[in-house]
Amino acid sequence: MFSNDQNIETIGQLVEVLKHYIGLQNEYLRLDVIEKVVRLITALLIAAVVTLLIMIILIYLSFAAAYAMAPFIGHAWAFCIVAAVYVVLFLLFLAFRKRWVEKPLVKFLASLLME
């Protein structure tokens, strides 16, 4: 009853369909990983470009601020004040780095990789 030709053929077709399904799942997983890696690299490149542009803007604004203050307090003190502002910003960044950088970055990466 269980060993007729039709049952054997049906089991053979089932095995072929399962092989094809596993191959498709493997391909889907590979494409999903590639998509996530490409999105991550794109996000990193955009962040790098934006960071570079912000750094250039800050350099020019720092020189402009120092030269704007120079007639009133002198060049040396003007540059010291600009440097002090950057030191305060650096200390604030160190104090709040988890809230400002780590948590948003973890959320972003988790949302990117969990989609």
Side-chain angles (χ1 to χ4, degrees), residues 80-101:
C80 285
I81 289 172
V82 170
V85 168
Y86 281 118
V87 168
V88 168
L89 287 175
F90 177 71
L91 292 175
L92 283 173
F93 178 78
L94 283 179
F96 296 108
R97 71 181 175 268
K98 287 189 189 267
R99 187 181 317 160
W100 291 348
V101 178

Side-chain angles (χ1 to χ4, degrees), residues 38-62:
V38 167
R39 289 178 64 196
L40 182 63
I41 290 172
T42 302
L44 288 174
L45 285 175
I46 289 171
V49 168
V50 168
T51 301
L52 181 66
L53 290 175
I54 289 173
M55 286 174 50
I56 292 170
I57 291 168
L58 283 176
I59 289 171
Y60 280 108
L61 288 176
S62 298

Side-chain angles (χ1 to χ4, degrees), residues 8-95:
I8 293 173
E9 185 178 320
T10 304
I11 291 173
Q13 289 175 348
L14 180 63
V15 168
E16 289 299 318
V17 168
L18 283 174
K19 284 182 185 178
H20 183 68
Y21 176 76
I22 291 171
L24 289 176
Q25 286 296 95
N26 188 18
E27 184 71 21
Y28 174 74
L29 181 65
R30 196 171 336 141
L31 289 174
D32 191 43
V33 168
I34 289 171
E35 176 195 5
K36 288 178 182 179
V37 168
V38 167
R39 289 178 64 196
L40 182 63
I41 290 172
T42 302
L44 288 174
L45 285 175
I46 289 171
V49 168
V50 168
T51 301
L52 181 66
L53 290 175
I54 289 173
M55 286 174 50
I56 292 170
I57 291 168
L58 283 176
I59 289 171
Y60 280 108
L61 288 176
S62 298
F63 277 108
Y67 282 115
M69 289 187 285
F72 305 108
I73 57 174
H75 283 339
W77 283 110
F79 280 101
C80 285
I81 289 172
V82 170
V85 168
Y86 281 118
V87 168
V88 168
L89 287 175
F90 177 71
L91 292 175
L92 283 173
F93 178 78
L94 283 179

